[in-house]
Amino acid sequence: LETSLNNKKKIVQDYFRTIISRDISERYNLKNRTLLTDFILYLLNSTNFSINKTVNVLRTQGRKVGKETIIKYAKYTEESYFCYFVPIFSYKIKDQLQYHKKVYFSDNSFITNLSLRMSKNLGRLYENAVFLELKRRQSENQLIEIFYWSDKNSEVDFVIKEGIKVKELIQVS
């Protein structure tokens, strides 16, 4: 069993390196793979994504990075289908741009094998699995949009909008 788990972890790590080198670095002609790797590892250990916070965290680690670079890296990771960013639900574009986004990954094995977790975070894994199912449904119905909702008193993991109407609220627990 231990050997099997180690083999799975090695496969996921190899796949991760391939995504960084071929799917992102070579495709977009990036020179700083270390910064890209640090960015992605930061995402794997976060549930929320904010450009300013990410820049600040990487700078405190001694990285020379600006907002434009993080914006590009986020776009590249999403275009490579490695991860996805879900905005807050609002009818105001300003709110969607201003508030942090939730980050989800194309496979739970990335979270399980690459994040620096101290224990299994089953809630995060379940939420990521639900997101992947919603993403699959979205590919079948292009009118569906996926958001989350949060305010001082409550949070909803997924707000599903179809056209101009909220179709469904989903709380994963």
Side-chain angles (χ1 to χ4, degrees), residues 76-131:
Y76 299 160
T77 56
E78 203 164 28
E79 286 177 353
S80 70
Y81 302 106
F82 180 76
C83 68
Y84 302 91
F85 301 98
V86 175
I88 194 166
F89 174 78
S90 176
Y91 287 108
K92 298 177 184 175
I93 191 71
K94 178 185 169 193
D95 290 343
Q96 289 183 17
L97 295 172
Q98 177 179 335
Y99 290 92
H100 70 267
K101 294 176 175 31
K102 290 180 87 173
V103 62
Y104 296 99
F105 296 90
S106 58
D107 195 304
N108 272 349
S109 65
F110 293 127
I111 298 167
T112 304
N113 293 293
L114 300 173
S115 67
L116 300 174
R117 60 184 167 62
M118 298 301 167
S119 63
K120 278 191 177 182
N121 185 344
L122 293 178
R124 183 170 188 207
L125 295 173
Y126 289 145
E127 190 174 329
N128 199 81
V130 169
F131 169 78

Side-chain angles (χ1 to χ4, degrees), residues 51-172:
I51 295 165
N52 290 331
K53 184 176 179 187
T54 304
V55 168
N56 291 337
V57 167
L58 291 171
R59 283 183 180 167
T60 61
Q61 301 300 313
R63 306 284 185 246
K64 293 180 180 176
V65 62
K67 289 180 186 179
E68 298 79 19
T69 300
I70 296 304
I71 291 168
K72 286 179 190 176
Y73 284 8
K75 179 181 172 207
Y76 299 160
T77 56
E78 203 164 28
E79 286 177 353
S80 70
Y81 302 106
F82 180 76
C83 68
Y84 302 91
F85 301 98
V86 175
I88 194 166
F89 174 78
S90 176
Y91 287 108
K92 298 177 184 175
I93 191 71
K94 178 185 169 193
D95 290 343
Q96 289 183 17
L97 295 172
Q98 177 179 335
Y99 290 92
H100 70 267
K101 294 176 175 31
K102 290 180 87 173
V103 62
Y104 296 99
F105 296 90
S106 58
D107 195 304
N108 272 349
S109 65
F110 293 127
I111 298 167
T112 304
N113 293 293
L114 300 173
S115 67
L116 300 174
R117 60 184 167 62
M118 298 301 167
S119 63
K120 278 191 177 182
N121 185 344
L122 293 178
R124 183 170 188 207
L125 295 173
Y126 289 145
E127 190 174 329
N128 199 81
V130 169
F131 169 78
L132 292 173
E133 172 59 21
L134 293 172
K135 195 72 177 160
R136 185 194 64 76
R137 290 181 189 179
Q138 186 181 41
S139 69
E140 295 172 358
N141 181 354
Q142 297 297 315
L143 295 176
I144 293 175
E145 294 178 81
I146 305 168
F147 299 92
Y148 76 95
W149 168 252
S150 182
D151 67 12
K152 293 177 185 174
N153 302 317
S154 61
E155 181 178 314
V156 177
D157 291 328
F158 300 104
V159 176
I160 310 306
K161 191 176 113 182
E162 187 170 357
I164 61 170
K165 295 191 185 247
V166 173
K167 181 179 176 185
E168 189 173 9
L169 301 175
I170 301 171
Q171 186 64 33
V172 179

Side-chain angles (χ1 to χ4, degrees), residues 16-41 63 69 73:
F16 176 69
R17 283 191 288 277
T18 300
I19 290 170
I20 288 178
S21 65
R22 291 191 186 145
D23 294 345
I24 301 174
S25 294
E26 288 177 16
R27 182 177 179 191
Y28 298 103
N29 197 26
L30 301 181
K31 298 187 182 8
N32 194 343
R33 286 187 188 178
T34 303
L35 179 61
L36 176 64
T37 302
D38 288 348
F39 168 71
I40 294 174
L41 289 174
R63 306 284 185 246
T69 300
Y73 284 8

